[in-house]
Amino acid sequence: APSNNEEYSEVSENPFYAVKETPLSTFSADVDTASYTNIRRMIESGYDVEDIPSDAVRIEEMLNYFTYDLKKPKGDTPFAVTTEVSQCPWNDEAELLMVGISTKDIDFSKAPASNLVFLLDVSGSMSDEDKLPLLQKAFSMLTDNLTSKDRVSIVTYASDVQVVLEGAKGSDTEKILSAINELYAGGATNGGDGIQTAYELAEANFITGGNNRVILATDGDLNVGPSSEEELEALITEKKESGVFLSVLGFGTGNLKDNKMEVLADKGNGNYSYIDSNREAKKVLVKEMGATLMTVAKDVKFQVEFNPEVVESYRLIGYENRVMDDFDFADDTKDAGEIGAGHSVIALYEIIPTSVLEDGGDDSIKLKYQDGYVTKNNSSGGKKDGDYC
């Protein structure tokens, strides 16, 4: 296996639940896509399947990387829901339920002004070609799409923190590009102080009613100041109360700290993408600029109720670290995911229909996928998508 010091948070696959005992499935929205791009990078680099860390695979991020033909919201409705049921390809006794949520696209020319702080890691670990040089190209693409109503500040961090640019007009393209292109890598990684400074700049240039956001670009290898997942979570949870959101862009290989970057984006009301190429930089920062930068709904939660007449048991595929208690659904104090303009969220459920278990035998059947028993239901008849939940 390729030698590296990359770090990933543990992923434990969701179990099956009996509908009669647990009819509700509740989870937080997630529009991150980093896992897909990161796994693609590993495959293209020649990793064997056994070399790919299993915890690097987050199914929901792989699903949400792609664009789907979903129903679009009409009128003043902020979301539209699309459902589909098909045969489960890996389990003949199961069916696959897709639930898709889409938001309205936004005309970016009519979008509110943006106050952006580029928080750029220029420590020694960023010197590789797929790190700082790629970062510079990525932020140059974003800069080319900003206008005079926007504001840009640049903060860099290595052993110390520097404010390279403060409150420049988005139309000062040459000034911004010059600042980006003059960056070089060297030193330790004082990301905690960098985050503090970036939020202070964002607050100083705050645009009421605008899009106020820190965009952090790093390999995640923070080694000076607050650097553990817990310390970073506490810092970002406090900072997001300012109304400034956080997007995280991951770069590079070998010492990628995916676990830390996911926590930062999750707790900072933002999203996490992994940039492995100029093509991906263009996708995230140009083509999907509205969705990446423009949040249209905060703390979005999903709750699906399954119909015991037609579904015996189910499991949510992916979203393992986004699962919530059912009573958290109506609790506005519980943090959840953010959705941007033009974003879609896809969730898949593997479901066991009641008909699979109706064999005329005992009154109860041992669950195939978890400990416990379920009582059979003798309903019959055809089913359509809406019957399942």
Side-chain angles (χ1 to χ4, degrees), residues 185-197:
T189 316
N190 191 355
D193 284 351
I195 290 169
Q196 293 271 18
T197 302

Side-chain angles (χ1 to χ4, degrees), residues 226-237 260 263 267:
S227 59
S228 71
E229 287 180 57
E230 293 75 18
E231 288 173 316
L232 292 168
E233 180 176 334
L235 173 62
I236 292 299
T237 300
K260 293 175 181 175
V263 165
K267 299 302 177 183

Side-chain angles (χ1 to χ4, degrees), residues 72-80 103-105:
K72 289 292 183 184
K74 294 180 180 177
D76 295 330
T77 308
F79 299 103
T103 64
K104 288 182 178 178
D105 291 326

Side-chain angles (χ1 to χ4, degrees), residues 52 64 112 158 300-301 348:
I52 296 175
N64 287 319
V300 179
K301 306 160 192 166
L348 292 180

Side-chain angles (χ1 to χ4, degrees), residues 102-347:
S102 63
T103 64
K104 288 182 178 178
D105 291 326
I106 191 168
D107 180 351
F108 204 76
S109 65
K110 298 176 182 175
S114 289
N115 161 37
L116 304 177
V117 179
F118 300 167
L119 176 56
L120 310 180
D121 183 350
V122 294
S123 61
S125 67
M126 290 292 289
S127 61
D128 296 342
E129 192 64 30
D130 60 354
K131 294 185 181 181
L132 184 58
L134 180 56
L135 179 159
Q136 289 168 310
K137 291 174 185 173
F139 279 85
S140 295
M141 292 180 194
L142 173 56
T143 299
D144 284 338
N145 286 273
L146 299 176
T147 65
S148 57
K149 67 182 179 183
D150 304 316
R151 293 291 176 270
V152 173
S153 302
I154 299 177
V155 176
T156 63
Y157 65 92
S159 299
D160 56 7
V161 176
Q162 290 192 329
V163 177
V164 177
L165 197 64
E166 180 173 358
K169 284 187 176 181
S171 54
D172 289 342
T173 307
E174 197 171 310
K175 184 178 182 180
I176 300 168
L177 291 178
S178 176
I180 292 170
N181 291 329
E182 287 174 7
L183 300 176
Y184 61 90
T189 316
N190 191 355
D193 284 351
I195 290 169
Q196 293 271 18
T197 302
Y199 272 92
E200 287 168 9
L201 269 178
E203 291 167 28
N205 292 282
F206 196 87
I207 299 175
T208 303
N211 168 36
N212 299 279
R213 185 175 298 260
V214 172
I215 305 179
L216 168 62
T218 177
D219 58 7
D221 190 15
L222 312 176
N223 51 35
V224 176
S227 59
S228 71
E229 287 180 57
E230 293 75 18
E231 288 173 316
L232 292 168
E233 180 176 334
L235 173 62
I236 292 299
T237 300
E238 173 199 339
K239 290 296 182 186
K240 75 173 180 184
E241 298 305 321
S242 65
V244 177
F245 287 44
L246 175 72
S247 287
V248 181
L249 304 180
F251 288 83
T253 65
N255 65 338
L256 183 74
K257 305 305 184 224
D258 175 270
N259 52 344
K260 293 175 181 175
M261 290 189 283
E262 190 191 12
V263 165
L264 287 169
D266 184 17
K267 299 302 177 183
N269 283 353
N271 46 314
Y272 168 35
S273 302
Y274 177 78
I275 308 294
D276 64 340
S277 61
N278 288 334
R279 178 183 64 184
E280 190 65 19
K282 187 174 183 179
K283 176 180 183 289
V284 172
L285 292 172
V286 180
K287 290 182 179 177
E288 298 175 357
M289 191 178 183
T292 304
L293 300 181
M294 285 300 308
T295 298
V296 295
K298 289 176 59 178
D299 294 329
V300 179
K301 306 160 192 166
F302 295 95
Q303 189 167 77
V304 178
E305 180 180 359
F306 286 92
N307 181 355
E309 293 289 313
V310 291
V311 180
E312 194 73 40
S313 58
Y314 66 88
R315 74 176 179 99
L316 175 62
I317 299 172
Y319 294 94
E320 284 85 1
N321 60 359
R322 306 281 178 158
V323 172
M324 307 181 77
D325 290 328
D326 293 337
F327 50 78
D328 287 342
F329 181 69
D331 186 347
D332 292 339
T333 66
K334 294 293 182 181
D335 185 53
E338 279 61 44
I339 297 182
H343 261 149
S344 62
V345 181
I346 299 291

Side-chain angles (χ1 to χ4, degrees), residues 68-89:
Y68 299 86
D69 184 16
L70 302 177
K71 294 176 185 173
K72 289 292 183 184
K74 294 180 180 177
D76 295 330
T77 308
F79 299 103
V81 181
T82 304
T83 60
E84 258 181 51
V85 176
S86 64
Q87 189 65 34
C88 180

